[in-house]
Amino acid sequence: MNLKNKITGLGAAAILAFGLAACGSSGSDKTSGGEGKASGDSVGESVNYKITGIDPGAGIMEATERAIEDYGLDDWELVSGSGAAMTAALKKAYDKEEPIIVTGWNPHWKFSKYDLKYLEDPKGSYGGEEEIHTFGRLGLKEDKPEAYKALEQFKWTDEDMGAVMVDIQEGEKPEDAAKKWVEENRDKVDEWTKGVEKVDGDTFKFVYVAWDSTMASTNVMKVVLEELGYEVELAQVEAGPMYTAVADGSADALLAGWLPVTHKTYYEKYGDKLDDIGVSMEGVKIGLVVPTYMDIDSIEDLKE
Ligand code: PBE
């Protein structure tokens, strides 16, 4: 344990090294792929008027439909899929230096692996800085006060979560990546569990969606609650069912409440049946993301 404590910060160093390595190789395909944007093509033509989205229930999909309206992108289509399909499409395009527009968010490992930029959003379709809220079922505080207190004290940074995400992306099992992070960041975990008594085999159920960011946070809190003596179950669902499960009490908590914009619709629908336990991260963001080799800066440029 002590030895592990000494290598705290390795995660951040790994991200940095990873990012640099990616930069070093990113130019290698410049001459071969390069269909990028033949001169004369509009951005729309170059990507077939497609924005590569994720799962239909994600808040970023709703925000993107709003952006398509706000910016009058009548010819454009938002293609749904999954977080994994989006990053696979991004990798494929990036390796050939071809144009692609994806729904993107921070924290996400893709920013340490590829050179990417957000398109400016002068109309504010995606809102601004967001927070990630932890939502519990009503009655959780009375039923499982120890877990509740740990969730209340759970707070970390983009960099913390990034370390877990990069390890998972590089092939570690989510639970192993989470365990490693917990062992290397005892000081932070101790803050979350400060004043929390251990329990003896009580159960706890998280619901989550397979978004890379949410898998990282959910697995880390699973490890933390297990160390406190809980038997923790993770149920992977779609975004809508994630909210209904906590609202109807069939799950104890979710860690992916992105507000004020991303999950506004879910919050309006289910907010009064949720306990807003706390904010685990500030300064997160959603938007449209493109590789920096693309010659556009703003969502407005998609109209041309
Ligand atoms: N995300 C990640 C989610 C929330 C967490 C931005 C992809 C979304 O609902 O859009």
Side-chain angles (χ1 to χ4, degrees):
M1 210 62 91
N2 276 335
L3 178 71
K4 295 254 167 76
N5 276 341
K6 290 211 180 86
I7 47 175
T8 299
L10 184 67
I15 292 186
L16 191 60
F18 198 16
L20 291 174
C23 287
S25 61
S26 65
S28 58
D29 242 350
K30 280 221 166 75
T31 45
S32 55
E35 322 221 331
K37 190 182 151 193
S39 54
D41 273 10
S42 68
V43 192
E45 282 165 352
S46 77
V47 297
N48 273 327
Y49 295 93
K50 283 193 170 112
I51 296 170
T52 304
I54 56 169
D55 42 297
I60 200 172
M61 297 295 277
E62 189 187 350
T64 303
E65 294 294 0
R66 183 165 56 234
I68 286 173
E69 269 202 50
D70 292 350
Y71 290 89
L73 305 176
D74 310 334
D75 305 332
W76 286 75
E77 189 194 344
L78 171 62
V79 182
S80 64
S82 67
M86 178 274 287
T87 53
L90 178 62
K91 180 184 186 325
K92 200 168 159 220
Y94 195 90
D95 286 348
K96 295 193 203 151
E97 215 171 299
E98 285 174 358
I100 185 166
I101 304 176
V102 301
T103 54
W105 66 96
N106 273 93
H108 198 287
W109 57 263
K110 62 183 177 279
F111 292 96
S112 59
K113 194 158 180 193
Y114 310 119
D115 288 327
L116 304 171
K117 61 184 176 189
Y118 279 95
L119 295 181
E120 284 157 27
D121 173 24
K123 294 191 195 287
S125 310
Y126 291 94
E129 285 201 354
E130 304 248 291
E131 296 172 337
I132 307 181
H133 290 241
T134 300
F135 291 131
R137 66 171 169 83
L138 299 180
L140 182 68
K141 188 172 188 174
E142 293 72 38
D143 296 345
K144 300 178 184 179
E146 305 303 338
Y148 189 93
K149 188 161 185 187
L151 291 174
E152 219 174 3
Q153 295 177 155
F154 169 45
K155 194 171 180 51
W156 61 344
T157 65
D158 187 328
E159 192 182 289
D160 293 326
M161 190 195 261
V164 182
M165 291 172 101
V166 167
D167 282 347
I168 297 173
Q169 200 273 323
E170 287 180 334
E172 262 189 71
K173 274 202 221 146
E175 189 163 353
D176 293 342
K179 276 188 185 141
K180 181 175 145 203
W181 189 90
V182 164
E183 278 166 14
E184 289 173 359
N185 292 275
R186 274 293 154 206
D187 50 339
K188 284 187 180 142
V189 175
D190 286 349
E191 290 294 314
W192 308 342
T193 56
K194 205 171 180 173
V196 181
E197 305 279 327
K198 293 212 165 170
V199 300
D200 188 14
D202 295 12
T203 57
F204 198 93
K205 181 169 172 183
F206 282 114
V207 268
Y208 74 102
V209 178
W211 299 313
D212 296 273
S213 44
T214 306
M215 289 202 283
S217 53
T218 309
N219 276 277
V220 164
M221 283 318 279
K222 175 178 197 279
V223 172
V224 171
L225 293 192
E226 280 173 352
E227 287 188 350
L228 289 170
Y230 285 93
E231 268 178 35
V232 182
E233 186 194 331
L234 306 189
Q236 188 194 314
V237 293
E238 297 295 325
M242 172 176 79
Y243 273 94
T244 48
V246 179
D248 72 16
S250 57
D252 290 309
L254 65 92
L255 298 172
W258 282 47
L259 290 175
V261 171
T262 311
H263 290 169
K264 185 168 188 272
T265 305
Y266 289 122
Y267 192 68
E268 278 169 2
K269 198 158 172 202
Y270 301 110
D272 58 354
K273 297 202 185 75
L274 302 171
D275 182 347
D276 189 354
I277 299 177
V279 171
S280 66
M281 198 181 293
E282 287 164 355
V284 303
K285 179 176 168 64
I286 61 170
L288 289 183
V289 168
V290 300
T292 49
Y293 56 71
M294 282 181 74
D295 193 17
I296 50 171
D297 297 307
S298 167
I299 302 175
E300 283 183 322
D301 298 337
L302 303 184
K303 275 208 83 159
E304 289 162 14

